[in-house]
Each structure stands twice: as C-alpha cells, then as structure tokens.
C-alpha cells in the first residue's frame, strides 16, 4: 500500500517508493530504497523534497504523523488509484504523545541493556571473565534504537543514579559511537565493533573500588592515579577473556588519550591515535559532561559542545566538527555553512528546538564576500545548516576577531567587501 507523507515525518525503516518531483530531485542514485540511516532522511529534507511516497507493505508505516493521504500528480496516478481505496487516515495523534512513545521504547531498550551490562560488569568485579557473548547482542538493540530515535535514547541515558553511572555511561557511549560511525558512513562491521567497544571501554573501572568511583568531590592525587589505571586494567581483563575485536582493545586502552599527547595512560600523540580511539575520546567526554555526575550537574548539549570545542589539544578538531554534525546541535559561537552557501555564526541557542539555533549569516562563499544580512531564527525551514565549519580554515588567525565582530553585530553596517578566505584583515576594517 502506497502512502504519501511529509518528508519531516519520514522514519528509519520506511520503504521509499517515490519522491515528490521525481527522481531528478532525489538525492539518491537508487530509484527506491529502505531508509536505514538518519543521514538519508536528512538528505531528503536538505534536497528540499517536501513529500515522499512510502510502501507500508514493504517497510515501517507512519506513526502519529500528519500523514497526508493523497495522490501526487502526473505519473503518480498509480498512487492515486491505490490511495482512493484506502480507509480514512487515522486521527492525528499529538506530537507529545509520539515523543512519549519514543521515550518509552528507548527506556525499555536502556533498561534491558542495563540488566545485562550490570550483570556482566558485576561478575568482573567478583573476578570472573568478561562475558562478551552476553553483551554483544546489545549492540544491535542499541543501534536499532539510535536509528529509530537517537534523541530519545540519549535523553533516557542522561538520567542515572550514582550506583548505575558506569553501566549507563557504557550504554550511552556505545549509542554515541554507533550514531557517530553511521554519520561517518563507516562499514557496518566497524560500526558494530565500535558499539561493542563503547559497551566495554570502561570495564577496567570494575577493578577500581566502588567508593572511589562514587566519591563526591575531587579525587586526591593517589586516588586519581588509581582511577587513571582503569584503561590498562580493562585492557588486561579483555585480553584475559574470550577474543574480542582489535577495535575493542584499542578503545578500552586509548579512550583517555589526547591529540596533544597529554592524555593517559601512554600520552600517545595524534599521529599514532587510531580513528576509533579519537572517536571514543569525544563520545566519552560528551556523555560524561551532559549527564549528572556525583559531583557535577549536567551541561546542556550546546554548552558541552561549545566547551569541548574550546579545549585546545584535547580532541581531533575535524572529528569533533563531524561529531557536532552528527548530534545536530550547533553550539553558540560555532561557524556553520548554510544551504545557501553562506557562512554563519551561531549566536543563540533555541531551547524549544536545539537543532534550529539562531544564526547570523555574514559571508557569501561563492562570491567570497562579506555580506550584511539579518539573523535567521527558523533556519531549518528557511536556510538549514549543512554542517559545522572550522573558523581558522576560512579566516586564519583572524577568526577570533572576526567572530567577535560578527557577534557584536558590526557586520550589519559593513560595506559588502571582497574578502579572500584566510585574509580577514579587510573584514576587520569593515567591522571596526
Ligand atoms: Fe574511561
């Protein structure tokens, strides 16, 4: 059965039969496909396709969405014939209700995962081997939940008590790594290994006294030394158990390394840090700072990403930009590229919809010119963000001054003046 829905209501698992405007307008090379990734849904939306026709006999049916059950024109007469025979559309359910159902599903996934993870981890604390066979199936369940509704799963994992912190943190890092790996379009086998690595990256904490893990306040140097031993303890535990993929061992040992070589346990420089190690360092910290800890309240996603971006030497910056893209929440002060091929500064968050912040476009990329433009609020509807950009790439050492000028709104009075990327001095003059 073919049904026309708004692109914004597309979900993972739907079978796309056709798109409005025909396949010339489609961002995909295939004529029909099953949506398996959020990035595919984003591609449809970013291509400006307002509606798609799905086959509910071959994939997931619309749920709680504003399903416009009607035919499309032209060569979509076949659709019209089918739709005419359809029963009346179900009453529209409220968005809140759909969100509640998504949260319920995510909560069930996290609860089931937590039971397995806590049992396996507690056994390790008692001296048993790591039961990898019990934990591996969780990867598929978490992956399925993340592709269905990543926001719900991450929201659910943020709520954790101090005694369940390590279990939930492991589930959350697995979810973030899976989501990040899908965004980077890594092979499925690697996605799976990264999910398993997320679940097991902190297994070494089972060799750290519980009182120390749950201690409120800062640790003294000897206590910190014990805690910082957990990557090596975890690596040893995994090596002593049944075989695990190399990626799992790598992430367990290196998720606290930094690109400036000042991480632990080995202080490995960026050139020798693998992609999984660099990805896991980002996901590990992001989850830690966006969840409530015994001694610290959570930061918002936007604050967390802004602060992580400001920590020089900690993360692979290019990878952190891609992570921000994968989360879809652009921090205030970040540089982004809009669909109109303009560079814009994120100037204000949006509590109602963190994925649609207020931005200030100020630079036209094709024309290489500074522009005077008013702020955009509903960027997703008008001129959506395509991706994060690195300010230093476009404006070199002048980026901090450039950003300050745009923030101050001085660009609004500037002459539209040619500006070569990497040579921002003329921009500064225009905005001073
Ligand atoms: Fe850790």
């Amino acid at each position: 059965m073919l049904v026309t829905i708004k692109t914004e209501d597309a979900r993972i698992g739907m079978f796309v039969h056709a798109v409005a405007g025909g396949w010339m307008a489609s961002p995909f090379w295939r004529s029909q496909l099953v949506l398996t990734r959020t990035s595919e849904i984003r591609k449809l939306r970013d291509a400006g396709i307002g509606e798609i026709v799905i086959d509910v006999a071959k994939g997931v049916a619309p749920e709680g969405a504003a399903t416009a059950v009607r035919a499309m024109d032209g060569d979509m007469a076949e659709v019209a014939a089918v739709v005419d025979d359809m029963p009346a559309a179900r009453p529209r359910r409220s968005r809140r209700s759909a969100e509640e159902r998504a949260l319920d599903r995510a909560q069930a996934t996290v609860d089931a995962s937590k039971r397995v993870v806590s049992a396996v981890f507690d056994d390790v604390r008692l001296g048993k081997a790591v039961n990898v066979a019990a934990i591996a199936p969780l990867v598929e369940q978490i992956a399925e939940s993340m592709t269905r509704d990543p926001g719900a799963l991450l929201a659910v994992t943020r709520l954790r008590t101090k005694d369940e912190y390590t279990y939930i943190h492991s589930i959350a890092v697995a979810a973030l790594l899976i989501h990040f790996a899908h965004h980077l379009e890594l092979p499925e086998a690697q996605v799976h290994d990264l999910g398993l690595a997320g679940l097991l990256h902190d297994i070494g904490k089972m060799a750290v006294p519980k009182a120390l893990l749950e201690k409120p306040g800062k640790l003294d140097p000897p206590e910190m030394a014990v805690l910082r031993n957990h990557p090596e303890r975890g690596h040893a535990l995994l090596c002593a158990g049944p075989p695990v993929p190399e990626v799992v061992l790598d992430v367990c040992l290196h998720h606290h390394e930094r690109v400036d070589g000042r991480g632990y346990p080995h202080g490995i420089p960026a050139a020798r840090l693998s992609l999984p190690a660099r990805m896991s360092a980002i996901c590990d910290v992001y989850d830690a700072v966006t969840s409530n800890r015994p001694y610290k309240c959570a930061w918002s996603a936007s604050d967390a990403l802004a602060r992580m971006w400001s920590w020089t030497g900690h993360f692979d910056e290019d990878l952190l930009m891609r992570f921000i893209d994968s989360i879809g929440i652009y921090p205030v002060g970040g540089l982004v590229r809009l669909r109109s091929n303009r560079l814009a500064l994120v100037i204000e968050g949006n509590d109602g919809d963190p994925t649609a912040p207020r931005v200030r476009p100020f630079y036209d990329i094709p024309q290489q010119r500074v522009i005077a433009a008013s702020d955009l609020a509903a960027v997703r509807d008008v001129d959506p963000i395509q991706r994060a950009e690195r300010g230093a790439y476009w404006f070199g050492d002048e980026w901090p001054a450039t950003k300050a000028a745009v923030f101050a709104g001085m660009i609004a009075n500037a002459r539209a003046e040619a500006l070569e990327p990497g040579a921002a001095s003329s921009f500064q003059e225009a905005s001073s």
Side-chain angles (χ1 to χ4, degrees):
M1 181 188 296
L2 302 178
V3 179
T4 301
I5 64 168
K6 293 182 182 353
T7 302
E8 67 198 46
D9 293 329
R11 295 284 179 271
I12 298 295
M14 287 181 169
F15 183 93
V16 179
H17 177 85
V19 303
W23 284 102
M24 289 297 286
S26 170
F28 305 116
W29 59 270
R30 286 167 289 178
S31 59
Q32 298 180 338
L33 76 158
V34 177
L35 295 172
T36 57
R37 297 177 179 181
T38 51
S39 60
E40 292 171 340
I41 296 173
R42 198 178 307 129
K43 275 182 185 172
L44 283 167
R45 206 171 52 212
D46 292 348
I49 293 167
E51 293 179 327
I52 60 174
V53 181
I54 61 167
D55 189 337
V56 296
K58 297 179 180 175
V60 171
E63 179 186 14
T67 306
V69 184
R70 61 180 177 75
M72 298 169 71
D73 55 12
D75 58 356
M76 302 303 289
E78 173 201 355
V79 179
V82 174
V83 169
D84 283 345
D85 290 338
M86 287 179 59
R90 283 180 294 169
R92 181 176 179 170
R93 297 180 194 169
S94 72
R95 174 179 285 274
R96 174 66 190 146
S97 157
E99 283 176 6
E100 281 176 341
R101 287 196 301 280
L103 286 170
D104 286 347
R105 285 193 299 265
Q107 187 70 61
T109 300
V110 170
D111 287 347
S113 301
K114 189 179 74 179
R115 278 194 291 275
V116 177
V117 170
S118 60
V120 171
F121 278 37
D122 289 349
D123 277 353
V124 171
R125 194 176 279 288
L126 295 171
K128 294 185 183 174
V130 182
N131 189 347
V132 178
I135 225 164
L138 300 182
V139 174
E140 296 308 321
Q141 294 167 32
I142 295 169
E144 199 275 333
S145 181
M146 279 302 279
T147 47
R148 189 171 185 165
D149 197 325
L153 190 84
L154 295 179
V156 166
T157 58
R158 247 171 233 137
L159 311 168
R160 57 189 82 163
T161 59
K162 65 180 181 187
D163 56 326
E164 66 183 9
Y165 181 86
T166 302
Y167 313 137
I168 305 280
H169 172 65
S170 303
I171 295 165
V173 171
L176 287 166
L177 276 170
I178 289 167
H179 189 64
F180 194 12
H182 274 146
H183 182 77
L184 296 177
E185 301 190 338
L186 299 182
E188 276 305 315
Q190 207 169 337
V191 175
H192 182 275
D193 288 353
L194 279 163
L196 188 58
L199 285 169
L200 292 170
H201 78 286
D202 263 350
I203 190 73
K205 284 189 177 173
M206 295 304 102
V208 175
K210 252 187 180 180
L212 197 152
L213 285 179
E214 296 172 4
K215 179 182 174 180
K218 293 214 166 189
L219 304 183
D220 61 30
E223 290 171 332
M224 186 60 83
V226 172
L227 182 65
R228 289 191 164 196
N229 216 11
H230 78 269
E232 287 175 302
R233 297 295 296 269
H235 186 263
L237 283 165
L238 290 171
C239 288
V244 291
E246 188 57 37
V247 167
V248 177
L249 297 173
D250 180 23
V251 166
C252 179
L253 191 56
H254 297 135
H255 65 276
H256 286 292
E257 297 289 356
R258 299 168 42 143
V259 293
D260 61 3
R262 296 174 61 197
Y264 65 92
H266 299 134
I268 296 174
R272 286 173 37 216
L273 279 176
S274 68
L275 175 67
R278 286 177 281 141
M279 289 171 69
S280 63
I282 293 171
C283 295
D284 181 53
V285 170
Y286 177 77
D287 177 68
V289 298
T290 54
S291 61
N292 285 304
R293 314 193 77 183
Y295 51 87
K296 186 183 75 58
C297 287
W299 295 344
S300 71
S302 177
D303 279 354
L305 293 169
R307 294 191 201 202
M308 287 169 70
W309 187 254
S310 72
W311 298 343
T312 49
H314 209 123
F315 307 110
D316 178 323
E317 286 192 358
D318 287 330
L319 213 47
L320 182 56
M321 273 199 318
R322 300 281 76 84
F323 180 74
I324 290 170
D325 285 335
S326 80
I327 296 293
I329 295 175
Y330 295 88
V332 172
L335 183 68
V336 294
R337 181 192 291 238
L338 305 179
R339 187 164 68 191
S340 60
N341 254 338
R342 294 182 294 175
L343 295 177
L345 190 68
V346 179
I347 58 168
E348 190 181 331
N350 179 352
D351 290 340
D353 182 355
T355 63
R358 194 168 184 82
V359 300
R360 184 168 293 162
F362 67 95
Y363 188 81
D364 186 303
I365 295 173
Q367 294 187 38
Q368 298 190 3
R369 290 178 71 88
V370 172
I371 53 171
S374 52
D375 301 347
L376 297 175
V379 289
R380 195 166 52 183
D381 298 331
V382 180
D383 193 0
I385 293 172
Q386 296 294 283
R387 66 182 193 218
E389 290 280 352
R390 189 209 288 258
Y393 170 81
W394 290 97
F395 302 103
D397 294 341
E398 307 288 349
W399 172 234
T402 304
K403 183 163 80 170
V406 176
F407 251 131
M410 301 174 90
I411 191 63
N413 300 319
R415 304 184 305 277
E417 184 173 339
L419 177 66
E420 295 294 332
S425 53
S426 59
F427 174 80
Q428 273 190 298
E429 289 163 15
S431 57
S432 61

